[in-house]
Structure formats: structure tokens, C-alpha cells
Amino acid sequence: MSGDSSSSREHLLFITGKLAHARLEKVANTLPPERFAWSIADAGVKVAALMTEEIIKRRITIPEGATRIVLPGRCRANPEVLAEHFKLPVERGPDEIVDLPAFLGLAGRKVDLSKHDLRIFSEIVDASKMSVDQIVAKGLDLARRGSDVIDLGGLPDTPFPHLDDAVRAMKQAGLTVSVDSFSLDELTRGAKAGADYLLSLNEETLDLAFEIGAVPVLVPMRPDDMPSLDRAIERMEKAGLPYMADPILEPIHFGFVESIARYNDVRKRWPDIEMMMGTGNLTELTEADSLGVTALLAGMCSELSIRNVLIVQVSNHTRRTVEEHDAARRVMYAAKADSALPKGYGRDLLALHDKRPFVQTPDEIATLAAEVRDPNYRIAVAEDGIHVYNRAIHKVGTDAMAFFSDLDVAADGAHAFYLGGELTKAETALRLGKRYVQDEPLDWGCAAERDREDTTAFKKAGHTKHSGPDAPPPGTRDARPEADAAKPETVDGRGSNAVDDALSTPKSGRIVCGKLVPDEN
């Protein structure tokens, strides 16, 4: 099936499987004809995710005029290998067909989150109570997670005799270091040991900035004493030395709104200076999911061209604060560069709810269910509830446990365990309004660690046994041996493929939903 073709437009070739063909064609028909011509190539497999490089090479004929090949998002074939074979650019598209227009840039922009202009200072608040080795290990971990500067926090009335050694060890490990203390002695020692930044100096302690090479962060004598901050700024400006200014963000009900106004006022008075905002007084002292709070503060920093934030993680509910600030700064930078609202820049800032949670309608699921010819259960979530179906049943509900009496797994503990896990995940997605994909983890944005996986290798067969001593490392998949890749695929008379071409499955059965089931006679 092809869309209207023209040499003046890009001609996309979408490769798919039988079950997704109709839905793909429906979405492709919505693409603007003045920008795209398109063709759909059906590889002859039932499920597009099971296509291999060898299947695609053997079965796909490139139509005349095609300029780019787009694979299904869950296809495990290697785009680079196929690009070499077909002599055309090949890329993996979105996981869900409904996201294809956005993937092609029809949302008005191509999303690039590789850039930012916000430096993250991550404070180790109890550094004085840690050993040098522990401090270095913590600093390296914070840097791995996205921090640019590791801040050593000093505690009042708590000696920090190993501060000098800690700074030197961190610098030797390749880290950028700041020292945060009310003690002039600790600030001086930290600077002499090689600290890059000092937090924080006011007009009474500012002389230190002229004695050392570290960049100071200037603060007012009191949060509401902006003239003192202005006088410190004026002195640094006159000396021509680098510095940052921090008007101090206050907690909610203790001056929050006024402190936001002060940032705005300082920026108006000093349009070109470097500024810092400490976000911990909001993220730590507000018992709300910190991701939304962080996104809002990152947006304020973007509007006011504040290019430095000091963050802290003490409370358990802010355990992902580094990743949250990192994601937020990238979204805000991209949106500002586009002169756009921070909408449509990926899902990293959406943890609990998805913008488009349901990728199939109940009618589309019913159409797929009617084509199933095997006993293996499929699970999907639509606006009307959780759908469970195979060749014999199609049930819809909202309670994961209520499905048990309809599923023929009472005597099959492994399969029942698998289905219970998947259905519970589906119920969670339904209740929150999140995307559910069978056999895939829910996407919590930057609020949870994502598994890193090899996108060219197939899932491990029998994934009800993914724990224990024989389990693969988290985020990995069992790739098929290279020798298996060339096996010819067979298609039975009913149009369903044998998956030997895609998975190393015994000829007498196949793995579906984590269970080995016999082939139908």
C-alpha cells in the first residue's frame, strides 16, 4: 500500500507486520502529502517486533523513489546493518504508531534534548562526617547522574579536619568542586586545596574573594537585604573578577513569593551577571512529588537566565533530584530555543500520568482480538479498561485480580504468576493514566531508573524467571546467536508465522507471554 509519491517530497518506507498494517496505514494517511510520500512494506510476520534483519533483507523490496526506511520501534533489527544492505538511511521509529507524526517532526519541532545551559551544583550535606574515600565515591556517583559541580557542605559546630584532603582527592578524580560553609577558615582551606567555587560570601566576608582563585557565590546579609548584595556585586564588578549572585530562595510560607520577586529584581538591575538559585528549600521542604517542583523552578531559571542551581538530596522523596534537574534543564533549554512552551519535549518530566496514555481504542483492540488464532493471552489497556484476549476469550475489566476465573491457568503456576504481574501493572497504568505495553516496564520518566537495553537483541525467553543466579543483568536481553539469523521463516496457511526466525524457540512450540506453548496442529 502506498501514499501518493512525488520526487519533490521525502518518500518514507514503513516496514511492518500483519497485525499493525491497518493501523499504520490509517496513521500514514494523515501525514501531510506536501511533505511526505509513503509506502508500507509488510514483512509477512504477524508481529512486527519479531522481524529480524534476515527476514527484512529477504522479504522487503524497496519501492522506486524511497528515500528513508522507518522500522517499528520495537523491531530488534540493526538499522545500521539494514542501511548498508539497502543503501538507504534506516531508523527505528516510535514504539507506538500513534506517535509517528510527532516522530516525523509534525508537532512543529524536532526534539533535541542534548543541550542545556544550567550548571548543577550537588551538595554533599554531611561531607564532614564522611571519609575522604566515601566523599570521592559519592561525588563520582553524583557526577554520573548529571551533576556538574560537587559541593562539600560544612555543618555548623562540626569539625571538618579532612576538608583539604577531600578537595584534593576530588580534584584528582576529575571532579569540579565547591565548598559551602559559614566558616571563613573552611572556605579558605578549601580554596587553597583547589576548590573551584566558594559558597557563600557576603559583603562582610568578601575580602576572601580577592585572596584566592575560587569563584565566589555572593549572598545578601539577610534574605531581604538586597542592598547588601548589590554592594557586593558592585565591588566584584569594579574588580573585574568572576562571581555569581544568589538572592536566596525561601521556603513556602516563609517568604517564597517575595524571594522569587527578588530574583526577578536582581536580574532587572544586573541583566548580564551570573546568578545561582538554591532549589532545596522548595524540593526538600515541600512534601510533594519533587519532579513538578523542579520543573517549575527550572522554568524560572530559564526565564531569568539563571545558569546555576544548588541542589540537595536529604529527604527520600527527592532521591532522584539530580536526574530531575538534569531532565528539566534540557527541556527548558530546548523550549526556550524554540520560543515555545515546554510541551512536546518528551516524557522525562511526566512520571505519574502520560499525555497520551491509550494508544489503541477499544474497537482497534477488538479487531486485533478477532484475528488471534492461538491460546496465548494478550493484554492491552484502553480508555474503557484492561483487555485480556486470546482465541477463546476477550474480557474487559478494571480489577486485575477479577480476571483470574476467566483465565485457564489455575494449574499453571508460572503462567498465573506472569499474568498476575502483567495485569497488576496494567491496572496501575489504567488508574494513573499511563501507557501500558505487555512485557515492558511502565515508564516513570526521570523519576525512576530506566533499564538500559540492547535494542537489537530479543527479550530473554521465559521471562517469568528473570531473577535468581541465572538471570541476565538488569536491562539486558538475550540476543539470538548469529547463526540463527539466517533461518528461513515459514508462514502457515492461516497467515500466522512460526517464530523460529525471530527467537530460538523449539520447533514444537513458541514463547508467548513468557510461556512455552505447543504449536497448533
Side-chain angles (χ1 to χ4, degrees):
M1 177 66 67
S2 299
D4 183 29
S5 179
S6 169
S7 59
S8 64
R9 293 165 291 169
E10 186 173 13
H11 186 149
L12 304 175
L13 175 63
F14 301 113
I15 299 179
T16 191
K18 294 178 180 179
L19 291 181
H21 192 131
R23 284 193 298 139
L24 176 57
E25 185 174 358
K26 181 179 178 181
V27 172
N29 274 319
T30 69
L31 301 179
E34 68 275 10
R35 288 187 57 181
F36 298 107
W38 53 268
S39 301
I40 295 177
D42 191 329
V45 299
K46 203 167 188 180
V47 180
L50 298 184
M51 293 188 300
T52 65
E53 293 150 25
E54 292 303 319
I55 289 175
I56 294 171
K57 288 179 185 179
R58 287 199 313 270
R59 297 188 171 191
I60 299 303
T61 301
I62 306 299
E64 185 177 353
T67 57
R68 181 166 38 137
I69 299 172
V70 181
L71 303 174
R74 295 190 180 91
C75 174
R76 316 316 288 182
N78 189 325
E80 294 181 3
V81 172
L82 294 176
E84 175 66 24
H85 176 78
F86 290 117
K87 308 302 180 187
L88 282 176
V90 179
E91 59 189 330
R92 185 174 284 107
D95 286 350
E96 304 297 344
I97 292 172
V98 295
D99 295 327
L100 188 58
F103 171 79
L104 295 173
L106 297 178
R109 65 183 72 91
K110 275 284 189 181
V111 175
D112 178 7
L113 300 180
S114 64
K115 301 174 183 177
H116 65 82
D117 63 352
L118 188 65
R119 186 186 290 119
I120 295 176
F121 287 66
S122 289
E123 182 177 0
I124 303 177
V125 295
D126 51 354
S128 58
K129 299 180 179 180
M130 300 167 64
S131 70
V132 171
D133 287 344
Q134 289 172 330
I135 291 171
V136 172
K138 179 69 172 179
L140 290 171
D141 179 62
L142 290 169
R144 175 191 64 80
R145 293 163 55 191
S147 301
D148 303 293
V149 183
I150 310 305
D151 182 63
L152 296 180
L155 297 174
D157 303 319
T158 302
F160 199 164
H162 53 300
L163 170 64
D164 319 58
D165 292 337
V167 171
R168 283 189 286 266
M170 293 173 72
K171 294 295 294 181
Q172 189 172 15
L175 297 169
T176 304
V177 182
S178 63
V179 174
D180 188 354
S181 176
F182 291 112
S183 165
L184 271 180
D185 175 65
E186 288 182 350
L187 290 173
T188 303
R189 288 166 48 213
K192 290 182 177 180
D196 302 278
Y197 301 91
L198 295 183
L199 284 67
S200 301
L201 301 180
N202 56 42
E203 66 174 340
E204 290 187 353
T205 59
L206 191 56
D207 286 346
L208 180 61
F210 297 87
E211 301 171 5
I212 45 83
V215 175
V217 177
L218 310 182
V219 297
M221 293 292 294
R222 300 183 313 276
D224 61 348
D225 185 4
M226 286 300 102
S228 69
L229 179 60
D230 286 334
R231 289 191 293 270
I233 291 172
E234 288 170 352
R235 188 176 172 191
M236 294 301 291
E237 285 287 314
K238 185 176 180 179
L241 295 175
Y243 66 94
M244 301 177 200
D246 184 355
I248 306 298
L249 186 70
E250 298 277 61
I252 293 172
H253 297 152
F254 290 87
F256 168 61
V257 173
E258 287 294 328
S259 67
I260 289 296
R262 289 196 291 268
Y263 278 93
N264 189 47
D265 291 342
V266 169
R267 176 52 77 204
K268 286 180 178 178
R269 290 196 302 274
W270 304 95
D272 300 319
I273 67 172
E274 286 293 326
M275 293 179 67
M276 170 180 278
M277 177 184 286
T279 61
N281 276 347
L282 262 289
T283 58
E284 286 285 326
L285 303 181
T286 307
E287 288 194 359
D289 291 327
S290 58
L291 179 53
V293 176
T294 297
L296 179 64
L297 294 177
M300 292 179 180
C301 288
S302 182
E303 280 203 7
L304 295 174
S305 296
I306 297 172
R307 290 184 284 269
N308 303 273
V309 289
L310 173 65
I311 71 174
V312 61
Q313 191 272 302
V314 177
S315 304
N316 284 328
H317 79 281
T318 63
R319 67 186 67 196
R320 296 280 294 179
T321 190
V322 177
E323 291 83 355
E324 291 170 3
H325 280 80
D326 182 45
R329 65 180 172 177
R330 296 173 188 278
V331 169
M332 297 305 165
Y333 181 90
K336 187 175 183 178
D338 291 338
S339 299
L341 297 169
K343 296 183 63 175
Y345 289 90
R347 299 164 67 188
D348 278 355
L349 300 183
L350 293 171
L352 291 182
H353 315 292
D354 275 318
K355 186 176 179 180
R356 253 187 121 169
F358 308 119
V359 299
Q360 293 174 284
T361 66
D363 288 344
E364 288 173 336
I365 296 174
T367 299
L368 290 175
E371 297 180 10
V372 172
R373 298 293 182 267
D374 59 63
N376 310 302
Y377 293 107
R378 279 78 165 175
I379 303 171
V381 175
E383 196 164 2
D384 63 336
I386 305 165
H387 291 244
V388 181
Y389 59 93
N390 65 4
R391 67 183 178 188
I393 69 166
H394 181 181
K395 299 291 183 178
V396 183
T398 58
D399 181 353
M401 296 298 104
F403 284 100
F404 181 74
S405 60
D406 296 312
L407 307 178
D408 186 20
V409 293
D412 188 342
H415 201 187
F417 181 85
Y418 163 78
L419 289 173
E422 282 297 316
L423 287 167
T424 300
K425 187 175 69 178
E427 181 180 336
T428 299
L430 177 67
R431 288 178 177 273
L432 289 176
K434 293 186 65 63
R435 286 193 176 184
Y436 167 82
V437 179
Q438 190 169 357
D439 296 332
E440 298 291 340
L442 296 180
D443 187 346
W444 300 102
C446 68
E449 192 76 27
R450 287 188 176 101
D451 286 342
R452 292 178 173 85
E453 63 177 357
D454 179 0
T455 58
T456 64
F458 288 96
K459 277 184 178 291
K460 184 178 180 66
H463 44 277
T464 55
K465 300 178 181 179
H466 267 187
S467 61
D470 298 324
T476 62
R477 295 175 179 248
D478 262 6
R480 290 184 310 119
E482 195 66 30
D484 290 343
K487 291 182 182 178
E489 185 203 38
T490 58
V491 179
D492 65 29
R494 298 181 299 276
S496 61
N497 66 299
V499 296
D500 270 339
D501 235 340
L503 297 171
S504 299
T505 326
K507 297 266 185 199
S508 59
R510 51 184 166 173
I511 299 293
V512 180
C513 303
K515 176 180 171 62
L516 176 64
V517 295
D519 287 335
E520 299 175 54
N521 295 325

